Amino acid sequence: MPFITTTDGVDIFYKDWGPRDGRPLVFHHGWPLSSDDWDAQMLFFANNGYRVIAHDRRGHGRSTQVSDGHDMNHYAADVEAMVAALDLHGAVHIGHSTGGGEVARYVAKYGAGRGVAKTVLIGAVPPIMLKTEANPEGLPLEVFNSFRDGVANNRAQFYRDVAAGPFYGFNRTGVEAVPGVVDNWWRQGMIGSAKAHYDGIKAFSETDFTEDLKTIDVPTLILHGDDDQVVPIADSAHKAIKLLKKGQLKVYPGFSHGMATVNADVINADILAFIEG
């Protein structure tokens, strides 16, 4: 399997599909998943002539289960190590949820040197999820402590409950759960490290991406469902769009946090139109 090794000795697993001369698209997955969560997008874009790359974040999926470095600066540096190893230039970076935060930090720190062309943020966590004095509309710390409790006390059941409930909106009246989708979410989560997932909660909930968003000067598309129960739109997309220099916001009525999977046909078409526009 393909890996790159970071400067601090972490082996990062990645997928690299499609023609090598195709325009590169780099996908950044959400918590606590892996590059497998992008299969619907990677197949679609590879079949449309793009070179598609996705990695398993450190401690997630098939990457090394290290004890430390589970923060946005390390995440971004790991992406840069992969991008440098593959010699990618002019890529479009696409991030979902926590991966959206990773995109914001990566592009702000490294994008200029790599000629990043565009970015796409899907149900993304920026600018900051946690409720603070400066962000009174955020989610209280107790919400994220409940995530920590779930990971620490019965991770297997917690992951089953998240996937079968709010992540895909399967807890909504009239919405039928798709067992394979739930099982695949659970599978991805359980492959990863409990330590990485536990520490990663702080990374996705407490990191303030305000300055990162202000720094990004490439066209950025924000896609968000207005029934996102995991990353509420009012405290994420509606704020992020005001910080971007070249941002576009598209809101999907009734769509869930996991819309890139359960509504892949819609999301893929809109990303394609943005990339080619």
Side-chain angles (χ1 to χ4, degrees), residues 172-265:
R172 293 307 197 200
T173 301
V175 178
E176 185 175 349
V178 181
V181 169
V182 174
D183 290 347
N184 191 42
W185 200 100
W186 184 89
R187 174 191 67 84
Q188 291 179 70
M190 293 305 296
I191 289 173
S193 158
K195 178 68 162 60
H197 296 169
Y198 188 94
D199 291 354
I201 294 167
K202 179 180 179 68
F204 76 67
S205 66
E206 298 184 30
T207 303
D208 189 341
F209 299 98
T210 299
E211 295 306 315
D212 299 291
L213 294 173
K214 290 179 179 178
T215 299
I216 296 172
D217 61 359
V218 299
T220 298
L221 176 65
I222 298 178
L223 306 178
H224 217 106
D226 72 358
D227 194 34
D228 190 323
Q229 300 172 67
V230 178
V231 181
I233 190 171
D235 196 43
S236 53
H238 286 327
K239 289 187 175 182
I241 192 62
K242 297 176 182 178
L243 299 169
L244 290 163
K245 297 173 183 175
K246 301 176 183 177
Q248 302 176 38
L249 171 62
K250 181 155 189 167
V251 178
Y252 300 89
F255 278 21
S256 68
H257 190 60
M259 63 186 183
T261 295
V262 293
N263 306 104
D265 55 340

Side-chain angles (χ1 to χ4, degrees), residues 23-27 90-94 116-120 271 274-275:
R23 186 175 184 182
L25 311 181
V26 181
F27 293 88
V92 176
H93 285 261
I94 302 166
V116 169
K118 295 181 178 182
T119 64
V120 181
I271 295 173
F274 172 71
I275 291 171

Side-chain angles (χ1 to χ4, degrees), residues 129-132 135 137-141 143-144 230-232 235:
M129 291 192 72
L130 183 68
K131 180 179 181 179
T132 65
N135 185 45
E137 302 85 8
L139 295 174
L141 183 62
V143 171
F144 304 109
V230 178
V231 181
D235 196 43

Side-chain angles (χ1 to χ4, degrees), residues 29-34 56-71 75 98 144 146-152 155-156 158-159 185-205:
H29 67 78
W31 179 96
L33 304 172
S34 74
D56 292 355
R57 189 171 298 122
R58 63 168 57 205
H60 295 62
R62 289 138 291 202
S63 293
T64 307
Q65 293 198 10
V66 290
S67 180
D68 54 8
H70 306 296
D71 57 78
Y75 295 165
T98 300
F144 304 109
S146 72
F147 275 53
R148 293 182 179 93
D149 290 344
V151 171
R155 183 168 66 131
F158 176 59
Y159 286 178
W185 200 100
W186 184 89
R187 174 191 67 84
Q188 291 179 70
M190 293 305 296
I191 289 173
S193 158
K195 178 68 162 60
H197 296 169
Y198 188 94
D199 291 354
I201 294 167
K202 179 180 179 68
F204 76 67
S205 66

Side-chain angles (χ1 to χ4, degrees), residues 4-186:
I4 61 96
T5 303
T6 67
T7 56
D8 60 341
V10 181
D11 291 331
I12 300 292
F13 170 83
Y14 69 94
K15 303 177 183 181
D16 185 355
W17 302 348
R20 290 300 174 269
D21 61 350
R23 186 175 184 182
L25 311 181
V26 181
F27 293 88
H28 306 244
H29 67 78
W31 179 96
L33 304 172
S34 74
S35 56
D36 293 352
D37 203 46
W38 290 112
D39 282 353
Q41 283 68 48
M42 291 185 68
L43 286 169
F44 174 82
F45 284 101
N47 288 337
N48 277 277
Y50 288 86
R51 181 181 181 182
V52 294
I53 300 103
H55 67 292
D56 292 355
R57 189 171 298 122
R58 63 168 57 205
H60 295 62
R62 289 138 291 202
S63 293
T64 307
Q65 293 198 10
V66 290
S67 180
D68 54 8
H70 306 296
D71 57 78
M72 284 294 164
N73 286 335
H74 278 89
Y75 295 165
D78 293 348
V79 173
E80 174 59 10
M82 179 186 71
V83 169
L86 298 178
D87 195 28
L88 301 179
H89 297 275
V92 176
H93 285 261
I94 302 166
H96 172 240
S97 195
T98 300
E102 183 177 275
V103 167
R105 180 58 50 89
Y106 172 77
V107 175
K109 290 191 70 171
Y110 303 101
R114 290 288 164 190
V116 169
K118 295 181 178 182
T119 64
V120 181
L121 307 178
I122 306 172
V125 298
I128 181 173
M129 291 192 72
L130 183 68
K131 180 179 181 179
T132 65
E133 288 187 9
N135 185 45
E137 302 85 8
L139 295 174
L141 183 62
E142 290 75 16
V143 171
F144 304 109
N145 283 340
S146 72
F147 275 53
R148 293 182 179 93
D149 290 344
V151 171
N153 297 323
N154 191 342
R155 183 168 66 131
Q157 187 59 53
F158 176 59
Y159 286 178
R160 180 74 65 187
D161 293 344
V162 171
F167 197 92
Y168 297 107
F170 292 152
N171 57 340
R172 293 307 197 200
T173 301
V175 178
E176 185 175 349
V178 181
V181 169
V182 174
D183 290 347
N184 191 42
W185 200 100
W186 184 89

